[in-house]
Amino acid sequence: MTPFARTALGLALAFLYAPILVLIVYSFNDSKLVTVWGGFSTRWYAILFADGPLIAAALVSLKVALLSAGIAGVLGTLAALALDRHGRFRGRGAYTGLLYAPMVMPEVITGLSLLLLFVGIGLDRGIGTIVIAHATFATGFVAVVVGARLKGLDRSLEEAAADLGASPARVFFGITLPLIAPSVAAGFLLAFTLSLDDLVIASFVSGPGATTLPMRLYSQVRLGVNPEINAASTLMIATVGLVVLAASWLTARRGA
Amino acid sequence: MSGRLARLLVRGLPLAWLVLFFLVPFAVTLKISFSSPATAQPPYLPVIDWQGGLEGWREFLEALDFQNYRMIAEDALYRDAALSSLGYAALATAILALTGTPTAYAMARASKRWQPILVALVIVPFWTSFLIRVYAWIAILKPEGLLNGALMKLGLIASPLPILDSPTGVLIGLTYAYLPFMVLPLYAVMSRLDPALLEAAADLGAGRARAFFTVTLPLALPGVAAGALLCFIPMVGEFIIPDLLGGSDTLMLGRVLWSEFFSNRDWPLASAVAVLLLILIVGPVVLFREAELRREEAAEGRGR
């Protein structure tokens, strides 16, 4: 690499990681002021673990993330299969557009319009409506991850199984699904973290009693910088770090 | 027969879900954008009277009007918010293209062993909470924050710069949050470029800079376009960044929509703002899709 390329890369990575490092370092700061270093302390973590509403919100978020990632995992995998295996079917372009549009749609639009639908059909707002909303925008992400794996898949195993008389269903569950399983798991994890992360859509479609972790954190962030949020953030970053490691291990193992 | 049924289910289930929870909601939003706010449950009028038959529909349609759109057209707040949303998104996209291109170029030129690690390093921040990463900038940018502290210690400035709660704060936040979306598509294109092309350019006497501008950059333009679209659309409707880093004076449509909905409880007006926002972003998407199709056709014509 040229010195110029190396500098560019170094600056970009510093830019990406500096705020995260600052966040983590100051979560161990004894002082309440985020800009003054008052010595090492874990007291914000103690306060965090005694914060009942925050922990309740974290549990709501986990529940929503698990359920919505499960739905998005199934729907996204099916959509990826349809795009990879069904050839140039009629309306393929529109199908792809519909699948990928929720990924870039501004969250305020998705959130507001889903809320208006839920109110229109008289669905009670709560955890269920957040799950539906999250599954809707995460499906496209799962389809991208699984689709990439399907594209690189060697078809000869499936053809051999079919030649030996296996039914399409048996080929799918015996050969295809095990082969794409790591990418389905990676897609599930992506959908899971996207759900954990969402503030805007959940704020629109949630109802009384369904406060997610980002909603709770946002209501505190609005009041200003607070070391307890830094501690919560550090734990979330650590969790996501572990999930990313798991996901890259899953995909690297099968070369997805 | 069961094979056809299976195909129908595989294709149809995701389709049904997305039609019901993505397309139909837009239709509902469009309808409510022509309604009037009301102190009722739901807080808008008219509501379709399903028992009223044809007469009920006629009454319903007659009660719809353009007043929300008139309001948006006449009140300078909405026009300014629309223009500044587009302005912020366009400016941030330009900054992203300028910073993302050298980054992706450097990644693509790194050794094969380092490339997957560098890609992972760019992706990891994207996996960590958006809200938290934006929040982290408050401590850095505020008047008594780390950046101002460092600049003052270095003697570069005498008094703190008001970066937080300013347009600069919003631009820093947008650039930061969307950098991976620009770098990754660019890297995908640049890492596939044939190194023989650069060698040929070098053999013909082009310096590194000349080779970059005459060979790499033109070939990487599809990546720039993809990255720009991927960043521009969500940025136009961004809410969290202007809300946390922009202060009360920063007008962006996402924020206007949020406050119409949550503070003013004017659902019809919020719906009209959503329709306006959607119209603003459809244009760039259509242009991009057309360019994409033309390129694909050209590639197919050449390849086969």
Side-chain angles (χ1 to χ4, degrees):
Chain A
M1 250 195 285
T2 61
F4 172 74
R6 200 168 297 164
T7 318
L9 199 54
L11 282 176
L13 288 177
F15 181 56
L16 283 176
Y17 283 92
I20 299 177
L21 279 179
V22 168
L23 203 64
I24 295 173
V25 168
Y26 280 90
S27 77
F28 294 105
N29 184 9
D30 194 51
S31 161
K32 191 167 170 50
L33 294 168
V34 200
T35 40
V36 183
W37 183 254
F40 181 85
S41 155
T42 52
R43 70 181 178 121
W44 302 111
Y45 289 87
I47 292 174
L48 175 67
F49 286 121
D51 187 338
L54 196 83
I55 290 169
L59 290 176
V60 169
S61 271
L62 279 179
K63 202 188 283 179
V64 168
L66 271 177
L67 290 171
S68 64
I71 297 173
V74 173
L75 292 175
T77 304
L78 290 177
L81 281 168
L83 286 177
D84 191 71
R85 300 301 167 88
H86 290 187
R88 289 188 165 256
F89 58 84
R90 235 180 68 204
R92 194 179 196 277
Y95 194 91
T96 327
L98 186 58
L99 189 60
Y100 295 153
M103 295 163 60
V104 287
M105 188 56 67
E107 291 162 325
V108 284
I109 298 185
T110 312
L112 175 70
S113 58
L114 266 171
L115 166 89
L116 295 175
L117 174 81
F118 293 147
V119 170
I121 59 178
L123 202 60
D124 275 339
R125 281 175 278 157
I127 289 182
T129 47
I130 308 178
V131 168
I132 292 175
H134 285 181
T136 304
F137 85 85
T139 294
F141 287 93
V142 177
V144 169
V145 175
V146 177
R149 176 81 179 122
L150 276 170
K151 210 180 268 175
L153 206 62
D154 183 3
R155 293 282 193 94
S156 56
L157 276 174
E158 294 172 10
E159 283 157 11
D163 288 346
L164 291 171
S167 66
R170 204 154 158 220
V171 172
F172 177 74
F173 287 105
I175 310 277
T176 318
L177 194 57
L179 282 176
I180 62 170
S183 66
V184 175
F188 174 88
L189 289 177
L190 181 57
F192 185 84
T193 52
L194 286 170
S195 167
L196 275 189
D197 191 21
D198 168 64
L199 163 73
V200 174
I201 296 176
S203 299
F204 276 100
V205 300
S206 110
T211 303
T212 63
L213 187 58
M215 288 165 68
R216 177 79 198 162
L217 288 176
Y218 175 69
S219 65
Q220 292 187 321
V221 163
R222 297 224 47 168
L223 304 174
V225 178
N226 165 352
E228 191 196 338
I229 304 174
N230 286 28
S233 311
T234 304
L235 288 181
M236 282 171 76
I237 291 166
T239 313
V240 168
L242 287 177
V243 171
V244 173
L245 275 181
S248 53
W249 181 73
L250 277 172
T251 43
R253 205 167 53 123
R254 300 291 189 101
Chain B
M1 227 12 232
S2 79
R4 280 187 59 181
L5 186 68
R7 283 171 81 90
L8 203 67
L9 277 179
V10 165
R11 205 186 306 168
L13 271 181
L15 183 66
W17 182 284
L18 289 171
V19 167
L20 182 57
F21 294 121
F22 192 70
L23 279 191
V24 173
F26 283 137
V28 177
T29 308
L30 191 63
K31 177 221 128 186
I32 291 172
S33 72
F34 291 104
S35 306
S36 321
T39 36
Q41 200 51 253
Y44 50 82
L45 278 172
V47 181
I48 299 175
D49 175 13
W50 296 104
Q51 266 81 50
L54 222 54
E55 188 59 25
W57 272 97
R58 208 174 57 84
E59 276 172 25
F60 166 74
L61 288 174
E62 275 172 0
L64 294 178
D65 62 27
F66 284 91
Q67 66 168 40
N68 296 310
Y69 291 97
R70 261 202 303 278
M71 173 106 170
I72 285 180
E74 281 163 11
D75 193 327
L77 170 83
Y78 303 99
R79 194 192 51 220
D80 293 349
L83 287 178
S84 83
S85 295
L86 289 175
Y88 276 119
L91 200 53
T93 305
I95 297 173
L96 281 165
L98 287 178
T99 53
T101 309
T103 311
Y105 177 72
M107 285 168 68
R109 306 289 291 164
S111 73
K112 282 276 170 266
R113 210 158 51 94
W114 270 93
Q115 287 192 18
I117 299 169
L118 291 172
V119 170
L121 280 173
V122 173
I123 292 178
V124 167
F126 162 72
W127 285 65
T128 46
S129 169
F130 189 90
L131 173 66
I132 284 172
R133 280 183 293 138
V134 176
Y135 158 78
W137 278 98
I138 298 178
I140 298 175
L141 298 180
K142 62 183 192 171
E144 64 277 23
L146 297 170
L147 182 62
N148 275 314
L151 290 176
M152 278 160 73
K153 212 164 262 170
L154 289 172
L156 291 173
I157 51 172
S159 57
L161 298 171
I163 308 175
L164 185 67
D165 298 345
S166 79
T168 317
V170 176
L171 282 175
I172 291 177
L174 289 172
T175 310
Y176 172 71
Y178 288 90
L179 189 60
F181 290 94
M182 180 60 89
V183 169
L184 291 175
L186 264 171
Y187 165 77
V189 173
M190 286 189 177
S191 65
R192 279 200 304 262
L193 288 186
D194 188 351
L197 290 172
L198 290 179
E199 280 163 28
D203 289 346
L204 294 171
R208 271 217 181 84
R210 181 130 187 239
F212 175 80
F213 283 108
T214 52
V215 179
T216 310
L217 197 58
L219 288 171
L221 273 183
V224 180
L229 192 75
L230 222 49
C231 298
F232 183 82
I233 296 174
M235 284 198 297
V236 175
E238 185 55 52
F239 165 74
I240 296 178
I241 293 172
D243 193 60
L244 293 186
L245 304 180
S248 50
D249 292 339
T250 306
L251 269 181
M252 282 183 79
L253 278 178
R255 214 168 165 208
V256 169
L257 193 161
W258 180 283
S259 64
E260 290 300 348
F261 181 84
F262 286 103
S263 313
N264 302 343
R265 306 218 165 266
D266 191 336
W267 293 17
L269 192 56
S271 304
V273 174
V275 173
L276 172 67
L277 183 53
L278 198 61
I279 292 169
L280 288 183
I281 59 180
V282 160
V285 178
V286 170
L287 285 177
F288 177 78
R289 290 276 301 177
E290 273 183 5
E292 185 98 303
L293 281 177
R294 242 177 293 137
R295 208 175 44 241
E296 264 171 30
E297 275 165 17
E300 271 179 26
R302 236 181 300 137
R304 280 162 209 177

